[in-house]
Amino acid sequence: MVYSKFIFKGILIALLLVFTTDAKSQTLDQLVKRALERMASKNYQGAIEDFTQALEETPDDVNLFVNRSIAKRELKNYAGAIEDIGFALEVTPADPNLFFSRAFIKGLSGDAAGAIEDYNKAIKIGPANANMYFNRGIEKENLNNLQAAILDYDKALMLNPKYGDVYFNRGVLKAKLNNHKAALLDFNKAIQIEPAADFYFSRAISKVALNDHKGALEDYNNVIAQDSSVENAFFNRALCKMKLNDFAGALPDLDLALEDNQSSADIYFNRGVALRSLQQFKEAKEDFDRAIVLNPKNTDLFVNRGLIHLELADTAAAIDDFSSAIELNKKNVGAYFNRGIQYEKSGDFEAALEDYNSALKLDPQYGDIYFNRGVVKAALGDKKGALADYNICIRLKPKNAGAWYNRGLSKFAAKDYLGAIADYNKVIQLDPEMPNIFFNRGIAKGQLKQYAAALADYDKAIEQDSGNGDIYLNRGIVKVILKQAAGGCADLQKAAALGNVTAVLEMEKSCK
């Protein structure tokens, strides 16, 4: 599970004006100076008191209203700050900077629509600058008007093509719209201008979406090198490593992620997956146990812990976990499939068939389940049903060597020896190390009296399994048929030595 984290870095320009007064009173000068000093030291309440007192002397001074609005804004008194900009606009109603400043404060207060209205006025009065379009784009984004936001970012970049934050925000929006290739171009541009951790982080997310896990890993490395406190940086880097099958490398990152978030079921879950891949099954189970305590309604956690129980040879516990997953979610295909496998292994073919049927009702395109159901049907004596399932499996997953192999066995049982050989040929193409494949093909060829070809297959079968007496028996019989009596009898003797009783009878008949 990947945490997708988009960081919006909007530079919303605050208008902090240095006050210069034409007031005659030296006391007023001192009062304003003290107010600005209080602002600089973040004593905003004191600054507000001084600006208020100064305004009593010069009630039409725009700069005083603007600076008092900034102090109020810093104290999150947005209504008061907006009111002060309104007073300033009464004095200078055509100042675009005042509309810009009020728009910024409205945005902070959550009034995106009001902010856009003021940005519109600032742009109309002009001259428009990149910041105006950028910030208006942010507010349009807040209203989920993403395409309009992108258009504003485009305009901002026309005015300032080296504005890294705009490229970043535009890239984030394109990623939100699932256009990750275009997002990458913007992130690349932003990073060229300013290689910030935020930018690398978001680019990594788009790279993951495009299955470039190696590239994403490099970006997360840059994030952590710059700022190791970025939320989810270690976790996301661990996920990239896992995608690249570096489970050992993922573990330290997952450990670091847990230091910051001990209550994350996702981190325990993924660490459990990594530990399972490293065959540290007991440790993996402990992590899945913790994850389930933190998130007891997550069916995938029960399925994965069930798989760990299987590795620990605890079939009953595995079935319990798969059953728990099904209770939580009657549509969890994996839970039915895996529970069916366990029933099949324990010999409860009826229960296995029921679970495979349930899984296929939910996902009729799941080829592997047809293969398993075919095995179960064959075990229950439904040969036609088994053959039909193997056919479907091969159509859905043509590289499933097991399905071709089992279908070959079914065809052989139906005395379709040519069909069986054709399927065995496909198995050898997909997986030439499949146990008994050359042996079974040799038997089928023998049934068609293709003895020389059968002999060649038995030779390969013995290379794979030199301790199998049945292979020596069959090769011995074929050699006898081909008038190779000495070699045939030697094979029959070898088969007998390996415990094959039939070989003894064949020797009595053919090796007098």
Side-chain angles (χ1 to χ4, degrees):
M1 300 178 184
V2 178
Y3 280 115
S4 293
K5 177 173 177 283
F6 292 114
I7 304 169
F8 289 88
K9 186 176 180 183
I11 296 182
L12 298 169
I13 304 301
L15 187 63
L16 178 57
L17 302 179
V18 177
F19 181 80
T20 57
T21 178
D22 293 330
K24 296 178 181 180
S25 171
Q26 185 67 26
T27 302
L28 181 59
D29 288 340
Q30 293 172 348
L31 188 63
V32 172
K33 181 181 179 182
R34 187 176 70 182
L36 293 173
E37 289 172 349
R38 285 178 167 179
M39 286 276 283
S41 64
K42 299 184 179 182
N43 178 6
Y44 300 116
Q45 188 58 49
I48 290 170
E49 292 171 0
D50 285 344
F51 286 135
T52 301
Q53 189 174 346
L55 279 166
E56 291 176 0
E57 298 290 331
T58 56
D60 293 332
D61 195 304
V62 170
N63 289 337
L64 290 176
F65 281 119
V66 171
N67 280 284
R68 189 172 71 174
S69 77
I70 293 171
K72 289 179 179 180
R73 185 202 72 196
E74 292 300 319
L75 294 175
K76 295 185 173 19
N77 178 9
Y78 300 126
I82 290 169
E83 183 181 43
D84 274 347
I85 298 298
F87 291 143
L89 281 166
E90 290 178 6
V91 179
T92 56
D95 187 338
N97 290 323
L98 291 178
F99 283 110
F100 184 90
S101 183
R102 190 170 69 176
F104 168 56
I105 299 169
K106 286 181 177 179
L108 290 178
S109 73
D111 181 12
I116 290 171
E117 183 180 351
D118 275 346
Y119 285 131
N120 290 342
K121 291 176 182 177
I123 290 169
K124 183 177 181 180
I125 295 169
N129 59 47
N131 290 325
M132 292 178 182
Y133 285 112
F134 180 35
N135 287 297
R136 188 175 72 173
I138 290 173
E139 297 307 332
K140 288 179 178 179
E141 188 175 338
N142 289 335
L143 292 176
N144 207 34
N145 192 352
L146 305 187
Q147 293 293 352
I150 288 176
L151 290 176
D152 270 351
Y153 294 148
D154 292 343
K155 292 175 182 177
L157 289 169
M158 289 178 65
L159 293 169
N160 183 0
K162 294 185 178 181
Y163 205 152
D165 292 301
V166 184
Y167 283 110
F168 173 69
N169 272 38
R170 191 173 70 174
V172 168
L173 283 194
K174 289 177 180 178
K176 271 190 171 183
L177 294 168
N178 207 33
N179 188 358
H180 290 284
K181 288 184 178 180
L184 277 184
L185 296 176
D186 278 343
F187 293 141
N188 291 342
K189 200 72 172 167
I191 288 169
Q192 286 175 6
I193 296 167
E194 180 189 356
D198 297 351
F199 299 174
Y200 281 114
F201 191 100
S202 289
R203 188 172 72 173
I205 291 172
S206 282
K207 286 182 177 179
V208 167
L210 294 169
N211 292 315
D212 180 11
H213 301 290
K214 186 177 180 180
L217 179 61
E218 293 173 358
D219 277 347
Y220 286 129
N221 288 340
N222 283 318
V223 172
I224 291 168
Q226 288 191 37
D227 184 1
S228 61
S229 67
V230 172
E231 185 181 0
N232 296 322
F234 286 108
F235 181 47
N236 283 18
R237 187 171 74 172
L239 296 181
C240 281
K241 290 178 179 179
M242 290 171 68
K243 285 289 187 179
L244 295 168
N245 294 319
D246 181 14
F247 298 103
L251 284 179
D253 279 347
L254 292 166
D255 292 341
L256 288 168
L258 278 170
E259 287 181 7
D260 294 329
N261 192 353
Q262 290 285 329
S263 61
S264 172
D266 288 337
I267 301 175
Y268 282 114
F269 168 72
N270 280 282
R271 192 171 71 173
V273 170
L275 289 166
R276 184 182 72 198
S277 299
L278 294 169
Q279 297 189 340
Q280 298 180 33
F281 301 122
K282 290 183 180 179
E283 294 83 355
K285 179 184 175 301
E286 290 173 1
D287 272 350
F288 286 127
D289 289 343
R290 295 188 187 102
I292 287 171
V293 169
L294 291 167
N295 190 359
K297 300 295 185 182
N298 188 319
T299 59
D300 290 334
L301 291 175
F302 285 99
V303 171
N304 278 273
R305 190 174 69 176
L307 295 173
I308 290 294
H309 283 308
L310 296 182
E311 299 290 355
L312 295 172
D314 191 347
T315 302
I319 291 175
D320 284 345
D321 270 349
F322 297 140
S323 298
S324 295
I326 291 168
E327 288 177 11
L328 289 168
N329 181 6
K330 300 284 194 240
K331 296 183 178 181
N332 191 308
V333 176
Y336 285 111
F337 183 29
N338 284 288
R339 190 174 69 175
I341 291 172
Q342 300 324 302
Y343 284 137
E344 180 184 339
K345 286 182 177 179
S346 66
D348 190 349
F349 299 118
E350 294 288 352
L353 181 61
E354 184 177 348
D355 272 352
Y356 293 148
N357 288 339
S358 296
L360 286 171
K361 284 181 182 178
L362 295 169
D363 187 357
Q365 301 301 308
Y366 199 147
D368 289 334
I369 305 178
Y370 287 103
F371 171 69
N372 282 57
R373 191 173 71 172
V375 173
V376 167
K377 286 181 177 179
L380 291 170
D382 182 7
K383 294 179 181 179
K384 288 184 178 180
L387 184 59
D389 276 348
Y390 297 143
N391 287 335
I392 297 173
C393 178
I394 288 169
R395 176 172 56 81
L396 295 172
K397 298 199 71 174
K399 293 186 179 181
N400 187 321
W404 290 96
Y405 182 76
N406 281 21
R407 191 174 76 170
L409 294 176
S410 295
K411 288 180 178 180
F412 182 89
K415 298 185 178 181
D416 177 10
Y417 303 124
L418 284 174
I421 291 171
D423 281 351
Y424 294 148
N425 289 342
K426 187 65 176 181
V427 174
I428 291 169
Q429 179 185 338
L430 293 169
D431 183 8
E433 300 302 319
M434 175 79 75
N436 295 321
I437 182 58
F438 289 105
F439 180 40
N440 281 288
R441 189 173 71 172
I443 293 173
K445 288 177 179 178
Q447 292 294 324
L448 293 172
K449 297 184 179 181
Q450 299 175 7
Y451 297 121
L455 187 60
D457 274 348
Y458 291 143
D459 289 342
K460 292 178 181 177
I462 287 173
E463 289 177 10
Q464 285 186 321
D465 185 5
S466 60
N468 188 328
D470 291 339
I471 305 174
Y472 286 101
L473 169 66
N474 281 42
R475 190 173 72 170
I477 292 172
V478 168
K479 285 181 177 180
V480 169
I481 292 172
L482 292 172
K483 308 299 184 182
Q484 301 176 17
C489 289
D491 276 349
L492 293 173
Q493 187 175 8
K494 179 70 172 180
L498 290 169
N500 190 297
V501 176
T502 303
V504 176
L505 299 175
E506 286 293 330
M507 287 176 65
E508 292 177 354
K509 182 173 64 175
S510 304
C511 303
K512 296 179 181 179

